[in-house]
């Protein structure tokens, strides 16, 4: 027999064993406590598996077990009451105390599970279908309030989505939610519900989630508030796209074609270690990676990872994962090769037969969305802005401290005397054929624009009409003024086609019997018509959004042609060009700053001329279409650069010549009341163009339309803001003129002073217009080659954010060069404005003795305000129009 001491040793050994092994196992079980399993094991026998009190044991229990699904339970049972009942039991009922079996933490998890999953008022019979589906299938993990059930938050990794956060609102598009509910989320507890729920039920539960948790105040309002409080950044980075199943048919970006053989070799050497040879995410390194590598064979991949999405992920990587950005290592063609191998090897074989063909057909049938903004041009950094501010300050102080300048003699250079260029100028002055050929080329492009806009693809970024008109033509027209003055008017397709249609002549003079002799009524001999048409075209462009509607772009071009034809039919010469054309008058007023002009080679010859062929024309050549006489006009405003005076002059006394920039606006240009308003309108409308392309513009529109109670497209709100910005520069300018009049005590009438000094606004509007259009010209025409190769956009799909990003990266000029040019333009505009203030101020206030620079302070302040506002606009990220 063993002694008592030995028995004590055995007992101690057993206790040590229990402490070393049994207790840790109990703790391990505690860490893996599942409230679902606990409820089914210990609670469901009385309360029922669904918590509705319908169990076999319930029939013999008095009082019956609690029905947690009864909405009244939410009122009666607080969390504290339930915790106490589970811990201590319920006297007079079959409910026993569970504190000896469960720890306090486990009881909390169990109670929260019951409250979040079973005690949902959404299970009431009168609840919507989406609400009931959410309660039955989703709330167990996501919580009754969509903020994630407490047990799931602590027990599942990764935790289920909390639908009430801003991050969820940003990331969960409708397409992504449809996809996730249908096919599940790999490497999470989110299963695929596509086989258990119908498409209608999936849509219903998603609609409920979005209205109840994501956007309880309304989607548009919630997103607007999020955008308002979001910090502005210079570079938001590329956002990964989530596509619907139809978009599985999207081709490779930018029309690239992948090499499968090259892609297979690269994949096996670089990608298979993580994603596996079979693409199932089970490579040799997958066990050491979290989150797990993508399983390309999972339904969530085979119904989302189209070529473009794969290209995006391979290029940019995936944040917070081990998926690197291979775009730093591979060029685009190599990435396309890898993508094509993955798509054909792992994705395509798992799609239903004919799925891709049907999906592509549906994609091509989708209607374009209009009025959208997509990618953004980066704003000018402060490193470029501060030098301009310093320059403005120094120039302003100099202008205030010095006397106004004395009249000067303008020096010019005849282009026929310039070596190398003179021969070309003499050839153009000799015959009308070169200009006629350029006119025919312009007409050909115009006709193609009409055809493409009407019968071509209505995706604006794929259509020749919208890309050429808004991305290339309009920016180049304004830029051309900087170098060639009003040369565009010489080859304008509206003027050429209208003449062909009305007179069947290209450049020869029509017979007298075919020419109307009716003069334009005095009431219309001004540019008010052109100004209102300019405002109207701006309304169509930015309000209606014709820049994103190819057919509307074509119809607007046709409208201009119709107006030109009507002008030729009703009045003599080219009344539409002189008085009504908004493009021509914009070019004409900007041309007052241009360094080129058509003028006599010898003023004495014009003074002695009695036949005046330049004004009257010849038998074969037309007279000046805008009633100008070569030897007597001194401003470019109404010169169309058509060459009529150059070709018709028998003395060959007319030619093009160079002059100092802005010399005409500084000294020679004559002021008119209608012209002053047109120049002010140019400044207001160019600023308005910039305003409509900054991030907060849509918030302004939404706020104003909300105040007005406007529904649908907010055209009333847009119109109000359009006229506001039209008149705002005029108001500030008018105040500056009033202060100048008051400070100098001049007797010059206010209206006269207003007209004489309005030329100040020309360089401010023109240089900002150039700087703004430079963004469009460089940033929105990088894909021009694709459009030229397929002008009608046949079988094309809309451009995605990734393609826009690539095109922005393919700009012909780097960002620093664009910023430098823009800074130079704004600096030039301010300098020219100061020069015009000094020179025209002296002329306008010539009756004032001892005029000093400080007398012009209000006008200098106006120039500083306008330039400062333009600088601020250039510092903002500007959204692309297409």
């Amino acid at each position: 027999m063993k002694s008592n001491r030995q028995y004590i040793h055995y007992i101690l050994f057993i206790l040590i064993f229990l402490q070393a092994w049994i207790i840790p196992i109990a703790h391990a079980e505690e860490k893996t406590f599942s409230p679902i399993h606990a409820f089914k094991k210990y609670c469901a026998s009385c309360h029922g598996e669904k918590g509705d009190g319908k169990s076999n044991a319930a029939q013999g229990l008095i009082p019956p077990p609690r029905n947690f699904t009864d909405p009244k339970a939410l009122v009666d049972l607080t969390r504290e009451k339930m915790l106490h009942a589970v811990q201590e039991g319920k006297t007079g009922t079959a409910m026993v105390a569970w504190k000896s079996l469960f720890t306090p933490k486990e009881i909390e998890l169990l109670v929260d599970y019951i409250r979040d999953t079973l005690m949902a008022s959404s299970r009431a019979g009168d609840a919507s279908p989406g609400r009931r589906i959410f309660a039955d299938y989703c709330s167990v993990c996501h919580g009754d309030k969509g903020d994630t059930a407490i047990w799931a938050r602590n027990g599942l990794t990764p935790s289920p989505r909390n639908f009430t956060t801003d991050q969820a609102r940003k990331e969960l598009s409708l397409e992504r939610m449809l996809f996730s509910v249908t096919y599940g989320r790999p490497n999470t507890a989110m299963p695929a519900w596509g086989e258990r729920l119908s498409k209608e039920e999936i849509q219903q539960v998603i609609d409920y989630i979005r209205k109840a948790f994501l956007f309880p105040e309304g989607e548009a309002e919630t997103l607007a508030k999020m955008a308002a409080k979001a910090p502005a950044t210079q570079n938001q980075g590329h956002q990964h796209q989530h596509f619907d199943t139809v978009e599985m048919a999207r081709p490779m970006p930018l029309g690239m074609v992948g090499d499968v053989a090259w892609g297979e070799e690269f994949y096996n050497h670089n990608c298979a270690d993580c994603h596996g040879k079979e693409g199932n995410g089970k490579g040799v390194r997958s066990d050491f990676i979290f989150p797990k590598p993508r399983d390309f064979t999972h339904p969530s991949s085979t119904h989302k990872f189209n070529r473009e999405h794969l290209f995006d992920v391979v290029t940019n990587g995936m944040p917070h994962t081990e998926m690197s950005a291979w775009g730093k290592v591979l060029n685009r063609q190599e990435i396309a090769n890898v993508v094509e191998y993955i798509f054909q090897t792992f994705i395509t074989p798992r799609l239903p037969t004919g799925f891709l063909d049907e999906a592509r057909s549906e994609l091509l049938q989708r209607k374009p969305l209009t009025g959208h903004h997509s990618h953004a041009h980066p704003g000018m950094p402060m490193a470029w802005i501060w030098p301009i501010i310093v320059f403005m300050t120094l120039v302003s102080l100099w202008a205030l401290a010095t006397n106004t300048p004395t009249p000067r003699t303008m020096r010019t250079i005849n282009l026929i005397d310039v070596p190398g260029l003179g021969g070309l100028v003499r050839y153009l002055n000799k015959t009308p054929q070169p200009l006629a050929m350029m006119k025919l080329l312009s007409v050909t492009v115009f006709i193609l624009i009409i055809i493409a806009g009407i019968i071509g693809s209505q995706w604006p970024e794929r259509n020749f009409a919208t890309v050429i008109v808004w991305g290339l033509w309009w920016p180049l027209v304004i830029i051309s003024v900087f170098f060639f003055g009003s040369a565009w008017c010489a080859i304008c397709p509206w003027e050429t086609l209208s003449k062909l249609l009305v007179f069947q002549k290209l450049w020869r003079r029509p017979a007298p019997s075919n020419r109307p002799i009716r003069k334009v009524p005095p009431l219309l001999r001004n540019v008010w018509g052109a100004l209102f048409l300019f405002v109207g075209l701006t309304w169509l462009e930015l309000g209606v959004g014709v820049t994103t509607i190819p057919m509307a772009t074509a119809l607007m071009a046709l409208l201009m042609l119709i107006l030109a034809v009507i002008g030729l039919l009703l009045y003599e010469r080219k009344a539409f060009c002189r008085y009504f054309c908004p493009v021509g008058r914009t070019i004409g007023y900007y041309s007052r700053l241009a360094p080129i002009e058509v003028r006599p080679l010898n003023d004495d010859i014009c003074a002695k001329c009695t036949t005046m062929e330049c004004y009257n024309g010849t038998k074969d050549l037309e007279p000046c279409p805008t009633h100008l006489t070569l030897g007597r006009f001194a401003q470019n405003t109404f010169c169309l650069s058509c060459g009529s005076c150059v070709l018709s002059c028998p003395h060959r006394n007319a030619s093009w010549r160079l002059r100092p920039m802005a010399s005409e606006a500084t000294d020679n240009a004559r002021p008119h009341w209608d012209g002053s308003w047109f120049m002010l309108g140019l400044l207001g409308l160019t600023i308005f163009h910039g305003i409509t392309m900054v991030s907060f513009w849509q918030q302004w529109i939404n706020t104003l339309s909300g105040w007005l109670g406007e529904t649908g497209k907010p055209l009333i709100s847009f119109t109000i803001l359009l006229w506001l910005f039209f008149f705002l520069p005029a108001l500030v300018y008018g105040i500056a003129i009033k202060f100048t009049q008051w400070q100098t005590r001049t007797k010059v009438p206010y209206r006269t002073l207003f007209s004489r000094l309005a030329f100040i606004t020309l360089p401010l509007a023109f240089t900002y217009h150039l700087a703004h259009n430079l963004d469009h010209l460089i940033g929105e025409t990088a894909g021009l080659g694709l459009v030229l190769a397929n002008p009608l956009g046949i079988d094309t799909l809309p451009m995605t954010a990734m393609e826009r990003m690539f095109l922005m990266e393919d700009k012909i000029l780097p960002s620093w060069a664009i910023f430098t040019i823009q800074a130079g333009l704004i600096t030039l505009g301010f300098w020219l404005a100061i020069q015009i203030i000094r020179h025209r101020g002296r002329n306008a206030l010539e009756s004032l003795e001892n005029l000093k620079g400080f007398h012009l302070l209000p006008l200098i302040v106006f120039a500083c305000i306008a330039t400062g506002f333009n600088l601020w606009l250039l510092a903002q990220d500007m959204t692309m129009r297409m």
Side-chain angles (χ1 to χ4, degrees):
M1 252 184 104
K2 297 180 181 177
S3 65
N4 291 336
R5 185 182 297 276
Q6 288 176 315
Y7 283 115
I8 293 173
H9 287 167
Y10 284 133
I11 294 170
L12 289 174
F13 175 77
I14 291 171
L15 291 175
I16 293 172
F17 175 82
L18 290 173
Q19 182 179 5
W21 295 99
I22 303 302
I23 294 176
I25 289 175
H27 282 296
E29 290 179 354
E30 178 184 349
K31 292 181 180 178
T32 58
F33 174 80
S34 171
I36 300 177
H37 296 154
F39 182 85
K40 289 182 178 180
K41 185 175 181 179
Y42 300 106
C43 311
S45 58
C46 294
H47 292 284
E49 290 190 359
K50 296 182 178 181
D52 54 5
K54 297 178 181 179
S55 64
N56 294 330
Q59 297 177 1
L61 297 177
I62 299 175
R66 172 69 75 168
N67 177 4
F68 295 124
T69 64
D70 184 352
K72 191 172 183 297
L74 282 174
V75 179
D76 296 339
L77 298 181
T78 65
R79 188 171 185 269
E80 289 71 21
K81 285 183 179 181
M82 293 182 68
L83 289 172
H84 185 269
V86 177
Q87 288 172 348
E88 306 297 337
K90 193 79 170 171
T91 304
T93 73
M95 180 65 185
V96 298
W98 293 97
K99 62 183 178 182
S100 60
L101 180 63
F102 300 131
T103 67
K105 181 62 176 177
E106 290 171 343
I107 291 175
E108 287 187 14
L109 291 175
L110 178 59
V111 168
D112 287 332
Y113 165 72
I114 294 171
R115 294 183 63 81
D116 289 340
T117 307
L118 307 176
M119 295 177 61
S121 61
S122 59
R123 295 180 58 84
D126 60 348
S128 67
R131 212 172 187 187
R132 292 196 295 270
I133 295 168
F134 181 83
D136 287 337
Y137 300 107
C138 314
S139 62
V140 61
C141 295
H142 292 286
D144 181 49
K145 298 180 180 178
D147 56 356
T148 307
I150 295 177
W151 77 266
R153 194 181 307 154
N154 299 323
L156 295 178
T157 303
S159 160
R161 173 72 74 169
N162 181 348
F163 297 122
T164 64
T165 64
D166 282 349
Q167 182 179 2
R169 296 181 182 102
K170 292 177 183 177
E171 295 178 355
L172 295 185
S173 65
L174 177 59
E175 291 77 11
R176 176 171 177 175
M177 294 182 71
L178 287 168
F179 194 88
S180 298
V181 175
T182 303
Y183 301 107
R185 300 285 293 174
N187 303 318
T188 74
M190 177 67 182
W193 294 96
E195 296 180 359
R196 300 182 61 182
L197 300 175
S198 67
K199 290 184 178 180
E200 181 182 5
E201 289 173 325
I202 291 175
Q203 183 66 61
Q204 288 170 344
V205 72
I206 289 174
D207 288 343
Y208 169 70
I209 293 171
R210 294 181 73 82
K211 292 177 182 178
F213 309 129
L214 284 171
F215 307 107
E217 299 179 9
E219 187 161 351
E221 293 79 1
T222 305
L223 291 175
K225 290 180 180 179
M226 289 170 57
K229 67 181 182 180
T233 58
Q234 286 292 332
N235 186 4
Q236 296 287 351
H238 181 61
Q239 300 295 321
H240 295 286
Q241 299 293 317
H242 296 273
F243 301 91
D244 59 34
T245 54
V246 173
E247 291 201 326
M248 287 300 296
R250 271 197 168 277
M252 202 79 72
L254 305 179
M256 291 184 290
V257 178
D259 183 340
V260 175
W262 192 100
E264 180 180 14
E265 182 178 358
F266 183 89
Y267 178 90
N268 289 332
H269 284 88
N270 298 275
C271 312
D273 286 349
C274 295
H275 294 284
K277 293 273 187 180
E278 304 301 322
N280 56 7
K282 297 180 179 179
V284 295
R285 295 187 61 242
S286 61
D287 291 337
F288 308 99
I289 298 174
F290 185 82
K292 297 296 183 182
R294 170 64 64 174
D295 176 2
F296 296 120
T297 65
H298 189 277
S300 65
S301 297
T302 57
H303 289 77
K304 180 177 71 174
F305 271 42
N306 59 13
R307 289 180 174 92
E308 188 174 61
H309 191 38
L310 286 166
F311 197 101
D312 179 9
V313 174
V314 174
T315 302
N316 300 292
M318 288 290 288
H320 313 302
T321 72
E322 292 200 17
M323 179 62 194
S324 304
W326 286 94
K328 299 177 181 179
V329 179
L330 305 177
N331 61 40
R332 289 180 186 169
Q333 184 56 54
E334 292 169 337
I335 292 175
N337 298 338
V338 179
V339 167
E340 191 63 26
Y341 169 74
I342 294 173
F343 189 78
Q344 290 195 21
T345 306
F346 307 128
I347 306 295
T348 304
R350 290 168 175 81
L351 296 173
T353 303
F355 175 86
L356 290 178
D357 292 337
E358 294 178 4
R360 178 170 178 80
S361 176
E362 183 175 340
L363 271 181
L364 293 174
Q365 293 174 9
R366 288 185 175 181
K367 293 182 179 180
L369 299 176
T370 61
H372 67 281
H373 291 307
S374 46
H375 214 80
H377 307 283
M380 182 187 294
M382 291 303 297
W384 275 263
I385 293 177
W386 278 116
I388 302 176
I389 295 176
V390 172
F391 175 82
M392 290 168 55
T393 303
L394 295 176
V395 170
S396 298
L397 293 174
W398 166 78
L400 291 171
T402 58
N403 294 330
T404 55
T406 57
R408 59 185 179 180
T409 302
M410 183 178 68
R411 298 181 59 186
T412 60
I413 301 175
N414 288 322
L415 289 180
I416 60 174
D417 298 329
V418 177
L421 188 61
L424 175 61
V425 174
R426 282 191 291 270
Y427 173 70
L428 293 175
N429 289 353
K430 184 178 180 181
T431 174
Q433 278 77 12
L435 187 60
M437 294 301 296
M438 287 188 282
K439 287 184 175 184
L440 289 177
L441 177 62
S442 172
V443 167
T444 301
V445 175
F446 178 82
I447 293 174
L448 184 55
I449 287 171
I450 302 301
I451 294 173
I454 294 176
I455 69 173
S457 166
Q458 291 303 297
W459 301 112
E461 64 272 26
R462 306 296 192 190
N463 192 290
F464 183 84
T466 42
V467 171
I468 293 298
V469 170
W470 305 111
L472 191 66
W473 168 75
W474 183 237
L476 282 180
V477 163
I478 302 303
I479 292 173
S480 71
V481 177
F482 190 88
F483 299 100
F484 307 113
S486 58
W488 162 255
C489 292
I491 60 172
C492 171
W494 304 324
E495 184 273 335
T496 304
L497 268 175
S498 62
K499 186 177 178 182
L500 284 171
L501 291 172
V502 175
F503 301 132
Q504 294 82 49
K505 302 285 185 180
L506 181 60
W507 55 270
R508 291 186 180 278
R509 187 171 188 172
S513 59
N514 292 337
R515 297 197 304 266
I517 58 174
R518 187 184 299 109
K519 293 184 179 296
V520 176
L523 184 64
L524 299 179
R525 293 177 197 169
N526 49 60
V527 295
W528 291 115
L531 178 57
F532 285 117
L533 273 178
F534 192 15
V535 174
L537 292 181
T538 302
W539 187 83
L540 290 173
E541 176 191 350
L542 302 176
V544 177
V546 298
T547 58
T548 59
I549 309 174
M551 182 172 290
T553 297
L555 294 177
M556 193 171 75
L558 279 175
L559 172 64
M560 298 299 291
L561 173 61
I562 292 170
L563 293 176
V565 169
I566 292 174
L568 280 182
L569 289 172
L570 291 181
Y571 302 115
E572 63 173 351
R573 304 199 183 187
K574 296 177 181 177
F576 175 75
C577 297
R578 191 186 200 284
Y579 298 113
F580 304 108
C581 179
V583 176
R585 292 310 90 236
T586 298
I587 293 173
Y589 279 93
Y590 279 161
S591 293
R592 288 172 158 174
L593 305 171
I596 191 170
E597 62 184 7
V598 178
R599 296 293 189 272
L601 295 175
N602 188 325
D603 291 335
D604 291 337
I605 293 177
C606 285
K608 297 176 181 177
C609 179
T610 57
T611 54
M612 296 177 60
E613 284 84 354
C614 59
Y615 183 83
N616 297 313
T618 65
K619 178 182 178 182
D620 294 325
L621 297 173
E622 288 190 290
C624 176
T626 56
H627 292 272
L628 299 178
T629 304
L630 178 64
R632 297 175 186 171
F633 80 94
Q635 51 187 350
N636 283 354
T637 312
F638 298 105
C639 176
L640 305 183
S641 297
C642 62
S644 293
C645 58
V646 175
L647 295 170
S648 63
C649 179
H651 309 289
R652 292 287 183 255
N653 191 42
S655 184
W656 281 269
R657 68 184 186 186
L658 295 177
R659 64 183 185 182
M661 191 168 185
S663 56
E664 179 181 317
T666 303
D667 291 309
N668 301 330
R670 295 189 299 272
H672 296 280
W673 181 246
D674 58 327
S676 64
W677 275 99
F678 195 96
M679 291 183 282
L680 283 164
L682 284 176
L683 179 60
L685 293 176
T686 53
I687 289 176
F688 182 70
H689 271 73
I691 287 288
T692 60
M693 294 178 187
V694 295
S695 59
F696 51 77
W697 166 253
Q698 194 58 48
Q699 185 179 351
W700 285 11
I701 284 285
N702 292 340
T703 301
L704 182 56
S705 61
W707 289 346
L708 298 175
E710 190 175 8
T711 59
K713 198 172 184 65
L715 291 180
I716 297 176
S717 302
F718 177 87
T719 305
I720 291 173
L721 291 175
L722 169 62
W723 284 111
L724 173 65
F725 279 94
F726 177 87
F727 285 110
L728 189 59
L731 175 63
V732 178
Y733 170 75
I735 293 173
I737 293 297
K738 193 65 180 178
F739 271 102
T740 302
Q741 188 183 39
W742 170 79
Q743 178 175 298
T744 58
R745 302 292 192 272
T746 180
K747 295 182 180 180
V748 178
Y750 178 84
R751 177 167 171 156
T752 302
L753 202 61
F754 188 100
S755 300
R756 288 180 178 179
L757 296 174
F759 295 88
I760 300 167
T761 61
L762 271 182
L764 301 175
F766 181 53
T767 53
Y768 173 74
H769 206 158
L770 288 172
H772 177 86
N773 278 5
L774 191 64
D775 268 336
H776 294 302
L777 182 64
I778 301 299
E780 298 181 9
T781 56
L784 182 61
L786 297 174
V787 176
L788 293 178
N790 186 6
L792 300 183
I794 298 173
D795 288 340
T796 55
L797 297 171
M799 189 178 294
T800 61
M802 183 172 59
E803 287 187 284
R804 297 177 195 279
M805 180 190 69
F806 287 152
L807 293 179
M808 291 289 286
E809 292 175 351
D810 288 340
K811 293 183 292 191
I812 60 175
L813 289 177
S815 294
W816 65 265
I818 296 175
F819 296 146
T820 302
I821 296 173
Q822 289 176 325
L825 288 170
I826 296 300
T827 303
L828 174 64
F830 182 76
W831 170 255
L832 294 178
I834 293 298
Q835 292 301 313
I836 293 174
I837 289 172
R838 285 162 51 80
H839 284 268
R840 296 199 76 89
R842 179 206 65 223
N843 296 336
L845 301 168
E846 57 186 3
S847 60
L848 185 67
E849 298 181 1
N850 299 321
L851 181 66
K852 304 294 183 182
F854 65 83
H855 288 130
L856 303 174
L857 174 62
L859 300 175
I860 294 175
V861 170
F862 169 77
C864 289
I865 291 174
T867 305
F869 193 83
N870 289 342
L871 272 178
W872 176 79
L873 277 177
L874 289 176
Q876 311 303 310
D877 292 345
M878 308 290 278
T879 54
M880 292 174 67
R881 291 176 294 190
M882 291 180 287

